[in-house]
């Protein structure tokens, strides 16, 4: 059970590592919180990812509850990494995960 600070630090490290290895799409399992009302790590991860997105360090991020073939960013993730189409969390509304699109592949039009 990491602290928020430890979780955000690990997130930064894993994103850097994935980008250095040419990974296009990364799934982060942060959990929802043991209380059932949500924890502190999930919103902290989303705040951090929004900073990264606005600075251009990542292309997009998709909270698990929005991970759907009807979501533009999900379709973009599949475009960047076709194997991601088979991910079992698509259309399952899993708020304990977040998918990160790390690298651009072509233009943003699908």
């Amino acid at each position: 059970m990491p602290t928020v600070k430890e979780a955000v630090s690990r997130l930064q490290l894993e994103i850097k590592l994935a980008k250095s290895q040419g990974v296009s799409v990364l799934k982060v399992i942060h959990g929802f919180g043991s209380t059932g009302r949500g924890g502190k790590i999930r919103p902290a991860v989303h705040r951090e990812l929004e900073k990264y997105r606005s600075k251009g360090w990542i292309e997009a991020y998709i909270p698990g509850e929005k991970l759907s073939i009807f979501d533009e960013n999900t379709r973009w993730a599949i475009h960047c990494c076709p194997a991601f189409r088979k991910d079992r969390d698509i259309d399952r509304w899993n708020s304990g995960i977040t998918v990160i699109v790390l690298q651009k592949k072509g233009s943003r039009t699908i």
Side-chain angles (χ1 to χ4, degrees), residues 46-57 61:
H46 289 177
R47 282 191 302 273
E48 197 71 14
L49 291 172
E50 185 56 35
K51 288 181 204 174
Y52 296 169
R53 190 200 57 73
S54 68
K55 293 179 179 181
W57 297 345
Y61 69 95

